[in-house]
Amino acid sequence: MKTIKVLPNTDDVNAELRLLIQQSYDNCTDKLFTIGLSGGSLINSLIKTLPTLSCVDWTRWRLFFCDERIVPFDDPESTFGCYWRAFENVTPLKKDQFIVINPDLDGELAARDYTEKIRSTVKIDEDLALPRFNLILLGMGPDGHTASLFPGHKLLEQQISWVGYIGDSPKPPPKRVTLTYPVINNSDSIIFVCTGLSKAEILKKIFVDGDDYPAGRVQPDRGELIWLLDKAAGSLLPKEIIGGV
C-alpha cells in the first residue's frame, strides 16, 4: 500500500513531512530511532521541520545516509558535510549521532565498513537477516533515480549486500555508496519528498504508465510508503490515484 499526497506548495509539503516524522518518532518503541537521510533539497526541508518537533528525546536519534559520496567531509559534495553545516546549533543533535562513512576507504571497503556500522546500530530482522530502519527519507532525481540507484545500473539488481558501491555514477562525483533495495524496502516507513515541475513527467511515467524507474522500485514489504508532492510535481497525475494506490 502506498499513499500519494499532492499538496498546494512546498510549505504544505514541509508541514506534512513534519507531521509524518513526528508520528514515526512517536510510534517508535525501539531504544533508538533510526533514520536514513537523503541529500539535495531534502536538507532544506528538514531544517524547517525537525526543530519544530515536540516532546522529542534527541539522544535516541541515529541518522544514517541512504547514499553518500566518497569525498572528504569538508568537500561541498559530502552529504554529511552539507547536513552538519546546516544542522549545527539548529537542533540538539550531536555530530556523533550521524553515522557516517569512512571517507578514507575506497570502493567495496567503504561499503563493507558502512554495512558494519549499520549492523551494530540498527535493529536486525532475524528472519530476514536485514536491518529495519524506523524511517527512510528519499528524494527523486529528474531521471527517476533515488539514493544512488540509477536507471540501468547493475546495482538495481543487488539483493545480497546491504550497502552497494558505485564507482561510475552518471551524476558526479562518481564514487559513492548506497543502501540497496532489500534494506530500503524493509523499513517501517518510507517517505519520498518530490517538488517542482521537473519531476512531473517521471512521476506520471511511474504511476500512470507503469514504466520502470529506480524510484518506482521502492515498494516496502511490510511498512508504509508515502509520496509527498507539491502541486507542480503532481500536476500530471490523475485525481483517482491521489490519496492511495
Side-chain angles (χ1 to χ4, degrees):
M1 178 70 180
K2 63 174 172 283
T3 301
I4 302 170
K5 297 187 177 185
V6 179
L7 300 155
N9 52 55
T10 55
D11 287 340
D12 291 314
V13 169
N14 289 337
E16 185 68 15
L17 177 62
R18 179 207 175 279
L19 176 64
L20 293 172
I21 293 174
Q22 184 77 59
Q23 289 176 346
S24 180
Y25 172 80
D26 291 343
N27 291 335
C28 176
T29 59
D30 303 322
K31 180 180 178 181
L32 297 177
F33 181 54
T34 55
I35 305 179
L37 301 171
S38 298
S41 60
L42 184 63
I43 298 175
N44 294 328
S45 293
L46 292 177
I47 280 294
K48 296 174 182 177
T49 57
L50 292 191
T52 66
L53 296 177
S54 59
C55 300
V56 169
D57 178 1
W58 292 101
T59 65
R60 295 176 59 206
W61 289 51
R62 296 296 182 272
L63 301 104
F64 294 76
F65 294 92
C66 299
D67 65 325
E68 179 59 287
R69 294 84 176 262
I70 304 179
V71 296
F73 294 144
D74 59 0
D75 188 300
E77 294 286 358
S78 167
T79 301
F80 165 67
C82 290
Y83 265 99
W84 185 245
R85 287 188 292 274
F87 273 62
E88 190 176 13
N89 301 321
V90 174
T91 72
L93 290 166
K94 306 299 184 184
K95 185 178 284 190
D96 62 3
Q97 291 176 255
F98 290 84
I99 312 303
V100 298
I101 68 165
N102 182 343
D104 296 325
L105 298 177
D106 197 9
E108 296 292 347
L109 288 177
R112 287 199 292 269
D113 176 75
Y114 205 56
T115 297
E116 292 310 310
K117 289 176 178 176
I118 293 172
R119 190 188 307 276
S120 66
T121 308
V122 181
K123 68 179 178 181
I124 306 299
D125 273 346
E126 298 298 337
D127 54 335
L128 299 175
L130 287 171
R132 188 165 181 85
F133 283 89
N134 299 119
L135 177 63
I136 293 280
L137 301 175
L138 294 171
M140 184 188 73
D143 62 350
H145 86 267
T146 190
S148 281
L149 298 165
F150 292 94
H153 198 278
K154 63 182 180 181
L155 269 182
L156 300 181
E157 310 307 326
Q158 175 59 254
Q159 295 295 315
I160 304 299
S161 298
W162 296 358
V163 180
Y165 167 65
I166 176 170
D168 56 352
S169 167
K171 181 180 179 182
K175 294 183 178 182
R176 303 161 175 239
V177 297
T178 182
L179 298 184
T180 58
Y181 286 118
V183 172
I184 293 173
N185 284 329
N186 195 47
S187 304
D188 289 331
S189 296
I190 303 170
I191 302 171
F192 270 94
V193 179
C194 293
T195 60
L197 191 60
S198 66
K199 311 295 177 66
E201 184 63 31
I202 291 292
L203 289 168
K204 174 183 177 295
K205 289 180 178 180
I206 291 173
F207 293 127
V208 179
D209 303 333
D211 291 351
D212 182 20
Y213 286 91
R217 294 193 183 193
V218 175
Q219 299 176 11
D221 301 314
R222 294 176 291 168
E224 63 175 351
L225 171 62
I226 299 174
W227 286 76
L228 298 182
L229 316 177
D230 68 353
K231 185 177 180 180
S235 59
L236 299 181
L237 299 182
K239 292 181 180 180
E240 58 266 24
I241 73 168
I242 295 171
V245 177

